[in-house]
Amino acid sequence: MGVGVGLLLQIPDHPLPILIGFALMMAGLFTAQAVGGGVSGQGGSGVSGSYVAAFYLGGTLAGLVYPPFLHTPPLASLALALGVTALAFGLAVRATQGLAPGSTG
């Protein structure tokens, strides 16, 4: 949620909202990463290892995919980022449905 709000705050073409939006986006991203890492750690080494591998593979994929978008207009880029964020949020909700606190899946 924080990532999406942070992206939306970056829509105005002014430095202050862009800075605040970026800071909120990063805070949301790193908070989600910390929670995901903690939850995966409760599932055992296989789950935790899979989470870490997926995190780094996703980062690598993002690094390979973004260059064609460097010349995309800013609003189109933000729309794409919001779409990816919504997809990730939906997948996270789906992946965690039915999990009781303390359960391993």
Side-chain angles (χ1 to χ4, degrees):
M1 185 70 122
V3 173
V5 172
L7 285 167
L8 289 172
L9 284 174
Q10 294 180 56
I11 291 174
D13 191 17
H14 299 286
L16 187 59
I18 291 172
L19 178 64
I20 293 169
F22 184 78
L24 182 59
M25 182 181 69
M26 289 293 103
L29 178 69
F30 288 123
T31 300
Q33 178 189 1
V35 171
V39 170
S40 69
Q42 293 176 348
S45 61
V47 175
S48 181
S50 296
Y51 171 79
V52 171
F55 177 80
Y56 284 107
L57 287 172
T60 300
L61 179 63
L64 293 172
V65 170
Y66 88 90
F69 297 99
L70 288 175
H71 300 291
T72 304
L75 287 179
S77 298
L78 284 172
L80 178 63
L82 282 167
V84 170
T85 301
L87 176 64
F89 186 79
L91 290 172
V93 168
R94 184 173 177 203
T96 57
Q97 283 179 339
L99 292 180
S103 73
T104 58

